[in-house]
Amino acid sequence: MKAVTKLPLRCVCSCYGRLFSVSSSVNCSENSQRNECTASPPKFKPKRALVLTKMSRYEYEKKMCQSETEEGLQRYLAERGSDYEGVLIRHNIHHSNLKEVKETLEKEGIEMEIVQRFEYTPDAIQWADIVLSAGGDGTFLLAASKIKDRSKPLVGINTDPARSEGYLCLPTKFSLRVSDALERFLAGKFKWMWRQRIRTTMTGQHANDEPLELHNQELQYPEHRFMEHVAEHEMYKQSSESASDLPPRVLPVLALNEVFIGECLSARVSYFEFSTDDSISVKQKSSGLTVCTGTGSSSWSFNINHIPKESVKEILKITNEIANCSCHIDSEAVLRKIASEFNNSLRFDPGEARMAYTMRDPVMNGIYHVAVPRGFANRMTIRSRMWDGCLAIDGGVSFKFNDGAIATLEVFSEDALQTVMLT
């Protein structure tokens, strides 16, 4: 790392803990089968820890600028209207907290390795007893995407709480005082919690293609969107073996938040066939499909479906006119309460083995009609009718998903991600 704060990538320490907490409360007694929270204090003594650290904005801009001097970086940022001093301050805050993580682990005597996303490999994950993400929710999702072992815990540490909510990370008071969190953890003051994830099985064309790492796309391929588009047209000019002859493939990445299926270019209409559980497949056009877990139900899916109190007021006003009711449309407290009740109903427990789906902006006319644009399912099957489609997992990895490709989405208990709730 070239600039201001430099940390060694390898060091020897000793602590391991399954540290993780969530913003929403979970009743372990009522949800014991779903979340599998332990009743008695667990004992966990890790020997090796792998810390995945985010690339700070400063480090990213440094790579893109390719300047050897700070003056060059300042000019580069100034030309784009960005504040060099602000970028530098956030960089130093992140690395100051990363340093505290390192020192805390060293104090506990745990062997550890700090890596960035390019060094975050299956071999590195296999080496560790526990994985810690140092960044925000994006870093946590990246860390989770490559963990396949159900007994490999992941802990999220928000290294800049002032600028990132870090819903998936430890509460702010623990992210800022990692030593306190580790003391609780090593004392057994936590409960295990498993977050369900979505497994995707692909058949047909592109089932065996390598994924496009969206985290790395801008650094590696500045014009990758154009190159991918050209590759799609070249594919249709070539003869290929029948899709029916290609074996199914379980994609190498599990979705902790959501799977998105749609056209790569958002201005295009997404066209595919869709079925849930044992229902009949239906052709539909929309702005794409999102399928989320309980963890993801408070993220993108929530933002798509939530309603403001202004919408509640409009609906109640129409209800009063049509049904001759007398709903209190002028009461701000009532409107907020109704909106809150509906919006809270969109969230469900991260341990539940089901998925919530949403058709974004479904086309409704005499030909296309989606009877249930939003709902729950245990199994979903989507057949692409798109020309430049993608299947994106947690906003970090994208797979080609063009005409004839079929994706099956399911939740299996063995795919759950192990985390903790501090007590």
Side-chain angles (χ1 to χ4, degrees):
M1 190 179 312
K2 289 181 181 176
V4 191
T5 306
K6 184 154 184 160
L7 285 175
L9 288 182
R10 295 177 181 273
C11 33
V12 175
C13 328
S14 112
C15 155
Y16 181 6
R18 300 187 172 184
L19 303 159
F20 183 96
S21 185
V22 291
S23 299
S24 58
S25 62
V26 177
N27 187 317
C28 295
S29 60
E30 294 179 2
N31 299 313
S32 58
Q33 290 184 345
R34 290 183 294 178
N35 280 327
E36 303 178 50
C37 296
T38 54
S40 58
K43 295 181 180 179
F44 185 56
K45 301 294 182 182
K47 296 180 179 179
R48 295 173 176 174
L50 180 67
V51 180
L52 173 64
T53 176
K54 74 174 184 179
M55 175 179 287
S56 70
R57 169 86 184 277
Y58 173 89
E59 292 166 317
Y60 171 81
E61 297 291 2
K62 192 79 171 179
K63 285 182 177 290
M64 297 300 292
C65 174
Q66 298 181 342
S67 172
E68 296 297 329
T69 66
E70 292 300 304
E71 291 75 15
L73 178 59
Q74 289 184 38
R75 289 193 298 271
Y76 175 77
L77 291 173
E79 290 172 357
R80 296 165 48 204
S82 295
D83 177 21
Y84 168 82
E85 294 298 331
V87 169
L88 187 57
I89 289 172
R90 305 327 302 182
H91 170 83
N92 286 334
I93 289 174
H94 164 70
H95 278 282
S96 175
N97 287 322
L98 181 61
K99 182 180 179 182
E100 183 180 356
V101 173
K102 168 185 173 294
E103 291 175 346
T104 301
L105 294 174
E106 286 179 334
K107 180 181 177 181
E108 297 294 338
I110 293 180
E111 184 180 1
M112 64 166 285
E113 183 175 356
I114 300 176
V115 299
Q116 289 191 339
R117 60 196 188 202
F118 295 107
E119 296 86 32
Y120 188 61
T121 63
D123 287 342
I125 296 171
Q126 180 63 33
W127 168 84
D129 297 318
I130 187 172
V131 177
L132 294 88
S133 67
D137 285 345
T139 309
F140 186 93
L141 289 171
L142 173 60
S145 69
K146 296 185 179 181
I147 297 176
K148 300 297 182 63
D149 186 348
R150 192 176 188 273
S151 62
K152 182 91 61 179
L154 172 62
V155 179
I157 298 172
N158 187 355
T159 54
D160 192 1
R163 297 293 292 270
S164 172
E165 182 177 358
Y167 170 77
L168 295 171
C169 301
L170 291 172
T172 300
K173 64 179 181 179
F174 292 123
S175 287
L176 293 177
R177 301 189 65 179
V178 179
S179 58
D180 289 351
L182 284 174
E183 287 177 4
R184 283 177 171 267
F185 169 69
L186 294 175
K189 296 180 180 179
F190 68 92
K191 294 179 180 179
W192 294 122
M193 175 181 173
W194 279 263
R195 289 176 176 266
Q196 299 295 339
R197 296 188 286 182
I198 299 173
R199 180 191 300 183
T200 304
T201 303
M202 188 101 75
T203 58
Q205 297 291 342
H206 301 296
N208 293 300
D209 286 2
E210 289 300 315
L212 171 62
E213 296 278 355
L214 300 180
H215 295 286
N216 306 337
Q217 181 178 351
E218 291 185 355
L219 287 176
Q220 292 181 320
Y221 311 108
E223 301 297 328
H224 204 298
R225 178 73 227 116
F226 172 75
M227 297 189 322
E228 183 185 64
H229 186 67
V230 171
E232 295 295 340
H233 285 276
E234 290 176 347
M235 182 268 293
Y236 288 108
K237 295 179 182 179
Q238 300 170 355
S239 60
S240 59
E241 65 178 311
S242 172
S244 61
D245 297 331
L246 298 174
R249 177 202 182 195
V250 176
L251 298 187
V253 182
L254 298 166
L256 179 60
N257 261 2
E258 74 273 313
V259 175
F260 169 76
I261 293 175
E263 284 282 355
C264 292
L265 184 61
S266 60
R268 290 178 179 156
V269 174
S270 300
Y271 180 27
F272 48 81
E273 298 176 27
F274 165 82
S275 67
T276 60
D277 299 322
D278 298 323
S279 67
I280 298 174
S281 182
V282 177
K283 292 182 180 179
Q284 68 87 46
K285 291 186 176 181
S286 67
S287 296
L289 169 72
T290 62
V291 183
C292 76
T293 62
T295 297
S297 66
S298 60
S299 185
W300 189 8
S301 176
F302 178 84
N303 293 326
I304 294 172
N305 291 297
H306 88 285
I307 59 173
K309 60 182 178 61
E310 289 77 14
S311 295
V312 173
K313 183 175 183 178
E314 290 297 319
I315 293 172
L316 292 181
K317 182 179 180 181
I318 295 171
T319 301
N320 286 344
E321 294 172 355
I322 294 178
N324 194 26
C325 297
S326 57
C327 298
H328 301 286
I329 61 175
D330 295 323
S331 172
E332 288 291 313
V334 170
L335 296 177
R336 283 197 299 270
K337 178 65 174 176
I338 294 173
S340 177
E341 287 291 325
F342 174 82
N343 293 335
N344 287 335
S345 73
L346 299 172
R347 301 184 177 98
F348 60 102
D349 193 277
E352 289 190 40
R354 61 173 178 162
M355 302 171 288
Y357 67 88
T358 302
M359 298 287 180
R360 299 174 64 217
D361 314 319
V363 173
M364 300 287 193
N365 54 33
I367 299 175
Y368 298 100
H369 178 72
V370 180
V372 186
R374 177 173 66 85
F376 293 93
N378 296 315
R379 175 187 170 93
M380 301 181 64
T381 303
I382 303 95
R383 180 188 291 270
S384 175
R385 295 303 181 196
M386 296 177 283
W387 293 103
D388 190 19
C390 71
L391 184 153
I393 296 177
D394 286 341
V397 180
S398 176
F399 297 82
K400 292 180 182 179
F401 192 63
N402 292 323
D403 190 29
I406 302 172
T408 301
L409 278 54
E410 300 168 287
V411 175
F412 295 94
S413 60
E414 59 265 32
D415 292 335
L417 179 70
Q418 187 172 18
T419 62
V420 306
M421 295 179 64
L422 293 178
T423 57

